[in-house]
Amino acid sequence: MMDPVAFFTEPFAYEFMQRALLMSLLVAAVCAVLSCYLVLKGWSLMGDAISHAVLPGIVIAFVLGIPLVIGAFVAGLACALATGYLKDNSRVKEDTVMGIVFSGMFGFGLVLFTKVETDQHLNHILFGNVLGVTAADLIETAIIAGGTLLVVLLKRRDLLLYCFDPNHARAIGLPVRVLHYGLLILLSLTIVSSIKAVGIILVIAMLIAPGATAYLLTDRFGRMLMIAVAVACGSAALGTLISFHIDGATGACIVLVQASVFLAAFLFAPKRGLWALKRLGASKPVSGGAPAPLDLFGNPRSLSFASGGPSAAKSRRSRPSTSRSA
């Protein structure tokens, strides 16, 4: 039986494991913060679309001899803009448009990759290679992830209001289109910073699982952010350690740990877990009414500005100056 202390200390005798842990923590932190907004906005498929669409940009950047992150960012942003244009100018729903655009761009990237002579291994692009990151890769990721985190934190209230109720954000004068495309740019940058750690396929799990887990555990957005970061960073550290001891893919191990934490929250969350809901249903009196559901601000949904009812309209008219800080 392995010594528990050795399980945590042995891997860090190697420099590549130290860099892998730092890279995993950086990626986990920025993905966790953004995942809360994506879950609240319902943009899970958008993250999947952009993560797949960056492949042709990576290949074209390699051919042109420019940094791969530039090509990935341009391709991801082009996917987001194309999705928005097609949605606004056709009868097709947004999720259908995203499926067509990202699968088309991903297929285009695969065709380009097979036609270009390169020593890049496809698996490293698709699934990441966090154990092979260099100090330069770590610095590059830290700059991108740090800049993304800084922008999100500076604009966290405006982004929150836009994700929660775009109509209310527009009514009080927030630049909704700027926030929309700004969030897409931040999403593209986050995916670019995560490619070397978990690849363009597994990054979608990093962008959704922490926020979804935190959403099951709290009604407050501030707590949701903290829980998501804690879950993501803890999963990143544990997954990196497990991958060392079982000689497995690090990105896949991190994603499996995050999925396990989400499953545990889904089953045993104090208020929204499956077990708690079953106990509540068994103990609730037949004649009693269920309590009003709460939103992320801890208010009953029927009274919040997200409901779109008369109370929302009254809030827009009577308190325009304070709504922005919600």
Side-chain angles (χ1 to χ4, degrees):
M1 184 175 179
M2 177 175 292
D3 181 6
V5 177
F7 177 85
F8 291 98
T9 58
E10 182 183 349
F12 302 116
Y14 306 94
E15 289 189 6
F16 74 92
M17 284 300 299
Q18 297 172 11
R19 291 194 297 269
L21 179 62
L22 289 175
M23 175 70 83
S24 300
L25 292 176
L26 279 172
V27 169
V30 66
C31 286
V33 171
L34 201 59
S35 73
C36 294
Y37 293 94
L38 296 181
V39 169
L40 188 61
K41 181 66 176 170
W43 270 8
S44 301
L45 186 57
M46 180 63 80
D48 191 17
I50 295 178
S51 65
H52 283 73
V54 301
L55 182 58
I58 292 175
V59 178
I60 294 174
F62 177 82
V63 173
L64 297 178
I66 62 178
L68 300 185
V69 295
I70 296 178
F73 172 71
V74 172
L77 193 57
C79 170
L81 295 176
T83 299
Y85 178 81
L86 291 176
K87 180 181 73 71
D88 294 338
N89 294 275
S90 70
R91 298 180 60 187
V92 183
K93 293 184 178 180
E94 186 176 21
D95 58 344
T96 305
V97 171
M98 283 190 285
I100 294 172
V101 171
F102 91 72
S103 58
M105 292 189 69
F106 188 61
F108 178 53
L110 289 176
V111 171
L112 287 178
F113 193 89
T114 58
K115 296 299 182 181
V116 174
E117 295 293 333
T118 173
D119 56 356
Q120 291 279 348
H121 200 287
L122 180 61
N123 287 340
H124 293 169
I125 297 176
L126 297 180
F127 304 107
N129 184 28
V130 69
L131 298 181
V133 298
T134 63
D137 295 332
L138 193 60
I139 293 173
E140 179 183 281
T141 301
I143 293 173
I144 298 174
T148 303
L149 276 176
L150 181 62
V151 173
V152 172
L153 293 176
L154 289 176
K155 290 294 183 180
R156 64 187 183 279
R157 295 183 182 275
D158 290 351
L159 289 173
L160 173 59
L161 186 55
Y162 163 70
C163 292
F164 195 80
D165 190 347
N167 292 328
H168 185 76
R170 184 181 293 107
I172 66 173
L174 289 180
V176 173
R177 291 186 66 84
V178 173
L179 292 173
H180 174 82
Y181 288 108
L183 190 58
L184 289 176
I185 291 173
L186 293 173
L187 178 58
S188 300
L189 287 173
T190 301
I191 291 171
V192 167
S193 69
S194 308
I195 288 176
K196 292 177 181 175
V198 293
I200 62 179
I201 292 180
L202 296 178
V203 68
I204 183 60
M206 300 278 285
L207 281 168
I208 300 303
T213 302
Y215 185 76
L216 292 172
L217 297 174
T218 183
D219 295 320
R220 302 285 183 173
F221 190 76
R223 294 175 188 170
M224 184 178 175
L225 285 173
M226 291 187 288
I227 292 174
V229 172
V231 167
C233 292
S235 299
L238 184 58
T240 303
L241 293 173
I242 292 175
S243 71
F244 175 84
H245 290 290
I246 69 173
D247 194 22
T250 305
C253 288
I254 294 173
V255 169
L256 282 175
V257 173
Q258 287 190 348
S260 300
V261 175
F262 171 78
L263 181 61
F266 174 75
L267 294 174
F268 305 113
K271 294 182 180 179
R272 295 194 178 94
L274 187 61
W275 180 255
L277 293 176
K278 284 186 175 181
R279 284 190 305 168
L280 180 63
S283 62
K284 185 174 64 175
V286 176
S287 60
L294 301 178
D295 60 24
L296 288 179
F297 302 99
N299 301 316
R301 287 191 183 276
S302 60
L303 299 179
S304 67
F305 58 70
S307 64
S311 61
K314 182 178 179 181
S315 174
R316 296 188 188 104
R317 290 194 301 266
S318 60
R319 293 186 297 172
S321 62
T322 59
S323 299
R324 181 165 182 171
S325 61

